[in-house]
Structures are given as C-alpha cells and as structure tokens.
Amino acid sequence: MIRNYWDIFVGTLLRGRRGSFYGITALYRSDPRPFREDLPVLLGLLAERKISPRIALRLPLDRAREANERIEAGGLDGKIVLLAPR
C-alpha cells in the first residue's frame, strides 16, 4: 500500500505527471448518480488517451478466479483487465 502512495504522489511527480485517487467510495454506493456521471467522462479520457492506467495483466474472463487470487496475493504493479470472449 505504501508503494501505491509513493507511485501516485512521488513517482508521478518525478515523471513530470500528477496522480490522484479515484475509486468507488461509500458515497457512490449510497448514491450511484455521481459514478454514473463520472464513468462516461473517464471512458472518454481513456479513449482520448489523456489518461493511461497502468495494466499489470490481461486475462480472459474465464480466468477471473485467477485474477482475483493474483490481486489477493498482492505485488501487482497495475490493474488486471478481464477480456470478454469474442
């Protein structure tokens, strides 16, 4: 967890960028409207390549259990993306 804080606040500054937290908070759980408003904005920023989330691993959807186990084990440098079947 400390490494995550370091990456977001110090590591990004050293790379000439700035970082911030974004998550589904208790507020979003009690009132999903802000999340519904933010999600299209985030997806738009992603499509415009204005944000670039760090991806540690891509797995097919049928390996979701493995993805969860990897998350629980820790040590990932980024997010896991589950890929839908084509």
Side-chain angles (χ1 to χ4, degrees):
M1 173 151 311
I2 291 173
R3 182 166 186 230
N4 291 339
Y5 289 111
W6 174 266
D7 283 345
I8 289 171
F9 294 110
V10 178
T12 54
L13 289 174
L14 294 174
R15 291 188 296 269
R17 301 174 74 187
R18 66 182 174 88
S20 62
F21 286 104
Y22 178 86
I24 300 172
T25 63
L27 171 66
Y28 287 176
R29 289 187 190 115
S30 64
D31 180 7
R33 284 178 293 162
F35 179 70
R36 289 187 189 129
E37 294 168 3
D38 289 348
L39 189 58
V41 173
L42 286 171
L43 293 175
L45 292 171
L46 184 62
E48 295 169 13
R49 298 187 183 270
K50 291 184 178 178
I51 59 172
S52 54
R54 192 178 293 173
I55 298 173
L57 185 63
R58 290 176 174 87
L59 292 172
L61 187 57
D62 63 353
R63 291 176 58 193
R65 180 178 179 169
E66 177 186 343
N68 191 53
E69 290 169 350
R70 301 274 307 256
I71 291 168
E72 289 177 358
L76 291 172
D77 191 22
K79 302 295 183 185
I80 296 178
V81 175
L82 295 176
L83 304 169
R86 294 183 181 233

